[in-house]
Amino acid sequence: MADKVYNFGAGPAMLPEPVMQKIQQEWLNFQGMGVSIIEISHRSKEFVAVLNEAQSLFRELTGLPDNYRILFVHGGARMQFSALPMNLAERVPSRKSLYVESGNFANLAAEEAKAFSHMEIIASSAATNFDRIPKITLEEINQDAAYLHITSNNTIYGTRWNQFPQTGDVPLIADMTSELLSRQIDYNQFGVVYAGLQKNLGPSGMAMVIIREDLLGHASRQTPTLLNYTQCDKDNSLTNTTNTFAIYVIKLVLEWLKEQGGVKAIEKLNKQKSARLYQVIDNTDFYHGIAQPEFRSIMNVSFKLATEELENKFLQAAGAIGLYALKGHRKVGGVRASIYNPMPMAGVEKLANFMTEFERQNR
Amino acid sequence: MADKVYNFGAGPAMLPEPVMQKIQQEWLNFQGMGVSIIEISHRSKEFVAVLNEAQSLFRELTGLPDNYRILFVHGGARMQFSALPMNLAERVPSRKSLYVESGNFANLAAEEAKAFSHMEIIASSAATNFDRIPKITLEEINQDAAYLHITSNNTIYGTRWNQFPQTGDVPLIADMTSELLSRQIDYNQFGVVYAGLQKNLGPSGMAMVIIREDLLGHASRQTPTLLNYTQCDKDNSLTNTTNTFAIYVIKLVLEWLKEQGGVKAIEKLNKQKSARLYQVIDNTDFYHGIAQPEFRSIMNVSFKLATEELENKFLQAAGAIGLYALKGHRKVGGVRASIYNPMPMAGVEKLANFMTEFERQNR
Ligand SMILES: Cc1ncc(COP(=O)(O)O)c(C=O)c1O
Ligand SMILES: Cc1ncc(COP(=O)(O)O)c(C=O)c1O
Ligand SMILES: [Mg+2]
Ligand SMILES: [Mg+2]
Ligand SMILES: [Mg+2]
Ligand SMILES: [Mg+2]
């Protein structure tokens, strides 16, 4: 019999098994309606209940303060790279947006903002190939800026912000695509938090935006209606036909997360999962972690072996026993284990044991 | 036993039964990979094969000329209301865009274009409450405009363009959201054809854009990367993480359509289906068609009864025997039967018989 497959892909990533099974079970007949959830109107009472439930579960699981709104928006995380400056730059006369460059997506976000604001990169770890999070101090943050943007977890390099920067009156915006709901967060620190769904939350092609109410109402006239957060909020994310399938899946994933004990419990598990892998990496010079230990992600564990040849051998042998999609991103090479919320400890255990055994046979 | 449900919803609409069953069957294990299609990378060879196959099936089924490109874009049809002027207005010094107002979505498209071009409505059927397609002649089309936009099938009112207008050198753009692939079309008449997926093609939240090659390369600098057709084409629709689920479903729907005999065969069936309903409507003054006969849609059949009370009774009785989602759009009221490609003749037959019986009992 073939091995059970554990999927370490960075995204679109694995979803919880019970969620996938539930989708399959009710696929042809949602709540006894005789039709599928993907075949009903986004304005039907049944779908609107799903959407509202997803929002209230998110509030419950995160303890989100009342003055934050929850939006479901089209296009994944990168669409928000455009939407953020369009919605926020005109809040201030300077139209200035500040970015911290901590990796590939941080860089893409900053580049995109150039077309819609006066973008400035205030810190970068490019010089050390993004192996760390750059240090920034409050003094470096120009208080006339519209916002400061960070990427809280850098998917490719496997780094993350442990503590978030003090920004004074400048709203802090975080791209949490690869870590939303993986750890407890005080949302009061942020003006906007957003995430593409395809790692911890659901299928690809859509994003969630959590926005502090007072930041609504500033979109530039040249903002496409569907990128306008104020419009989206006014219409409860139903300005046009939303991605009903994605919102349905988010709701199921949030229910699952609640059953797991919520964010606190999953954070504990995520720490255990990542610690298990970092332990194998640190116990030997056969494996080299890419991120500086102080900035290690608990979602994406990136490492190298001595040669590309050895890495390919590793990936092939791993794949043969059901350890799927471990290849590192082309920008860094090596190996990357993405261990989002849905990855069970058993998958991590299997990978850790494989790493030890592979070393024994190949050192 | 409960009646089999026939879903007449306008969108998200029903999908072909064999497609829905196939999705369910391979949900947890796509092509023996041990993971779901929604859990694999958009850049994996397996997913890219699905995307390429969807494109080539579309070409094959439509006979699309070689100088047209096929794009999969985020956000449904309305996102293209913004993207079109952003991508096309700067083709010409006038930055002028021309619109024909033939219904609700035509109007929304025109409104959106104001922010990104010099928009002008050249014809409207608002005065007769959109019961027809306005007449336009070549002389009325200013040849210095960037494009002329029409809505080929008006979902709410149930009207359609039977013949498309001559536009000279001005590219003709058609929103075909509610009729793409329902009838044979000579694509050479168009500069761009686009459609949200959620009627004839797949789930909601994404659109297809068919664009003539020479229209690429003119996007304004202020175009969000993910709304830029040139960028999308360059990246084969994979600039960011696409809606992999939607593209997978499109591919299955196109395979199903091919098995039905292709567009020619489905057009024949669509004509029979709609004729069956229009016949019931025309045989009595109990039902009143909303569209002028000359402009009747073969996708959306909209009609009224004498009073709102009677309409509500009709809708309730229909729902009770599994005729689902027949309520007309709030802008016109009454009844609307959306009978897209996936609706079988049996569903139409059941509705037609119900209409006759309901009339007998309530006239
Ligand atoms: C941190 C981060 N931001 C943004 C993105 C881009 O997301 P999307 O492809 O949904 O636009 C990714 C994708 O992996 C990511 O990891
Ligand atoms: C003709 C037409 N155009 C545009 C739209 C809007 O599509 P979406 O909701 O995907 O933006 C619709 C939706 O029903 C439509 O029927
Ligand atoms: Mg990165
Ligand atoms: Mg080591
Ligand atoms: Mg209409
Ligand atoms: Mg009549």
Side-chain angles (χ1 to χ4, degrees), chain B residues 31-50:
Chain B
Q31 295 183 351
M33 296 174 76
V35 298
S36 175
I37 181 70
I38 71 165
E39 299 175 312
I40 67 175
S41 171
H42 53 302
R43 302 197 192 281
S44 64
K45 65 179 185 315
E46 292 87 354
F47 177 75
V48 172
V50 169

Side-chain angles (χ1 to χ4, degrees), chain B residues 161-173:
Chain B
W161 294 73
N162 290 308
Q163 261 159 8
F164 298 107
Q166 296 295 323
T167 57
D169 288 337
V170 176
L172 179 61
I173 314 286

